[in-house]
Amino acid sequence: MAESAAVSRPVDEYGFFIKEGNAANPSIHRRKSSFNRGKMNVPAKESAWLAMLAKWEKGHKKKEKKIKKLARQGVPESIRAQVWSATAGVDRFRKPGVWEACLEKTDETIFEVIERDIGRCFPEHQMFADPQGAGQENLRRVLRAFAVYKPEVGYCQGMGMIAGMMLMHMPAEDAFWLLVTTLETTFKDTYTPELLQLRRDAAVFEALLDKKLRPVARHMAKQDVTPLMYITQWFMTAFTTTAPWETTLRIWDMMFCEGIKPLFRAGLAIIKINKEQLLKECPTNAETIDLLLHVPRANLQADDLVAESLNIKIKTKDINKLRARVAALDTPDKGAPTLLKKRR
């Protein structure tokens, strides 16, 4: 009965239920942006991606600039699964028989923890709304398989949102291998029990914020607002709980091509777009944190956020250098804005 009721509810183009009284679902609200100028149409982008995917093993390294440019314009939904798997480098990790072997093993302690979170992952999406449905069952299988595959990590809150996003685009086994790849590369050490890399990245983010948006950085510092208070939600779920869905997809398109850099850029862009409100309408840390964790969706439109993020010039090698410096600190979670200041 619950399943038929869920099926009958209207959904948007991404499968999310449309709330009653909403003339337009906020997840697909769009406005014109200068970023659209010069963009390829969907059929042209599909053709370009398919041509590269057909010869991926031979020449994608030579076409990194073109791949990056295409990803920044948004990957067509029809081929997202293929593009994400290819750009993430899933073939480097995928091995026959491992998925099946992981599903045969059990770890009751960690499985109980996973079970508590299954129903909390995208309850407003038609794929995951039914507790007895295939969506929740596949999510359960992917998370359990990963916990068995990587017992030193097991399961951590936030992983369910990552796996759920992947399941919206591909079968369970493919989602499992994309999850493995992503957590071994872009999010390596992020989901460990100590959240080691997340704490280090919070310090890196604070250093970048101090360099790129110093007035806001100082405003937050006076309020004792540290990046760990808000990028935990942003990074641990890769913006799936923060931005409109089209925007989230665009961030993911770039993430698989460029690694962690688009997440830093997106976070800084969010603060830049909301700079005036943060400075003028958030006198205490309560208002600041509330705004950063519940940014108005109108301020997070896909083309606008992507364009703003690309205007923030950061190099991957600079992020890596900062990560290395932060790794040497005793308290990386405290932040390190002085890392970018030159010695006199």
Side-chain angles (χ1 to χ4, degrees):
M1 198 72 175
E3 183 175 6
S4 61
V7 171
S8 64
R9 292 174 61 185
V11 298
D12 66 17
E13 64 181 289
Y14 302 111
F16 288 93
F17 297 124
I18 298 173
K19 295 180 180 179
E20 289 186 21
N22 282 7
N25 191 345
S27 72
I28 58 173
H29 174 69
R30 301 180 179 91
R31 70 185 185 195
K32 293 182 179 179
S33 167
S34 59
F35 189 77
N36 282 311
R37 294 172 189 168
K39 284 179 67 175
M40 300 167 66
N41 58 31
V42 172
K45 281 192 285 188
E46 284 181 343
S47 297
W49 275 114
L50 289 172
M52 283 190 288
L53 290 171
K55 301 177 181 179
W56 191 259
E57 292 302 321
K58 295 181 179 180
H60 73 276
K61 288 289 183 183
K62 298 178 181 179
K63 298 180 180 179
E64 284 185 352
K65 288 186 178 180
K66 182 178 181 180
I67 293 169
K68 194 182 294 186
K69 182 178 179 181
L70 278 173
R72 290 172 176 178
Q73 292 186 12
V75 177
E77 185 68 17
S78 60
I79 55 172
R80 257 199 176 102
Q82 296 167 263
V83 171
W84 283 0
S85 294
T87 54
V90 167
D91 286 347
R92 291 178 293 154
F93 295 89
R94 190 167 191 150
K95 295 179 181 178
V98 172
W99 161 251
E100 293 82 2
C102 288
L103 290 177
E104 292 176 359
K105 297 179 181 179
T106 60
D107 184 336
E108 293 302 330
T109 301
I110 200 68
F111 285 7
E112 288 180 11
V113 178
I114 291 172
E115 198 61 34
R116 289 198 292 268
D117 282 348
I118 293 294
R120 301 172 188 170
C121 298
F122 302 115
E124 291 301 309
H125 192 280
Q126 62 178 353
M127 179 181 287
F128 303 104
D130 179 12
Q132 308 302 320
Q136 287 201 21
E137 176 57 25
N138 282 329
L139 180 59
R140 181 179 294 110
R141 294 168 73 214
V142 170
L143 294 176
R144 285 183 173 186
F146 182 83
V148 170
Y149 177 85
K150 197 79 172 177
E152 61 270 34
V153 175
Y155 171 76
C156 179
Q157 280 192 332
M159 284 171 54
M161 306 302 290
I162 303 295
M165 164 72 112
M166 294 170 178
L167 283 167
M168 291 179 197
H169 295 86
M170 59 191 70
E173 183 178 358
D174 293 340
F176 165 75
W177 284 115
L178 183 57
L179 181 67
V180 167
T181 304
T182 306
L183 269 58
E184 290 283 8
T185 54
T186 303
F187 289 116
K188 188 172 180 60
D189 294 331
T190 296
Y191 293 93
T192 59
E194 301 82 13
L195 303 179
L196 181 61
Q197 192 58 55
L198 176 70
R199 292 188 294 113
R200 289 174 176 172
D201 284 343
V204 172
F205 190 91
E206 188 166 21
L208 293 171
L209 182 66
D210 184 71
K211 183 176 182 180
K212 302 294 181 179
L213 295 162
R214 185 160 295 176
V216 184
R218 289 177 175 174
H219 179 70
M220 290 185 182
K222 290 178 181 178
Q223 297 177 336
D224 289 325
V225 174
T226 65
L228 199 61
M229 296 176 179
Y230 52 90
I231 75 160
T232 297
Q233 176 176 297
W234 293 356
F235 280 28
M236 290 286 282
T237 68
F239 292 98
T240 57
T241 62
T242 301
W245 204 244
E246 182 187 1
T247 307
T248 303
L249 287 167
R250 294 281 293 280
I251 293 171
W252 278 53
D253 292 342
M254 295 186 292
M255 178 181 74
F256 287 123
C257 282
E258 303 180 52
I260 197 69
K261 182 171 68 174
L263 272 68
F264 279 101
R265 273 179 156 171
L268 291 169
I270 288 173
I271 292 176
K272 186 175 181 180
I273 290 170
N274 293 278
K275 174 182 175 181
E276 294 304 313
Q277 189 172 347
L278 285 165
L279 293 175
K280 297 178 180 179
E281 300 177 27
C282 298
T284 71
N285 57 11
E287 288 95 350
T288 296
I289 294 171
D290 184 63
L291 174 61
L292 293 174
L293 295 181
H294 306 93
V295 182
R297 301 227 154 183
N299 295 352
L300 296 174
Q301 296 305 295
D303 283 341
D304 297 330
L305 183 68
V306 171
E308 197 64 70
S309 73
L310 294 178
N311 285 331
I312 298 172
K313 304 304 179 184
I314 305 174
K315 295 181 179 179
T316 300
K317 66 178 182 180
D318 294 332
I319 291 175
N320 291 336
K321 286 180 181 178
L322 280 170
R323 279 179 154 184
R325 294 180 189 176
V326 170
L329 298 177
D330 293 331
T331 54
D333 55 310
K334 293 287 288 184
T338 56
L339 285 173
L340 290 178
K341 293 180 180 178
K342 296 181 179 179
R343 293 180 180 178
R344 297 186 179 184

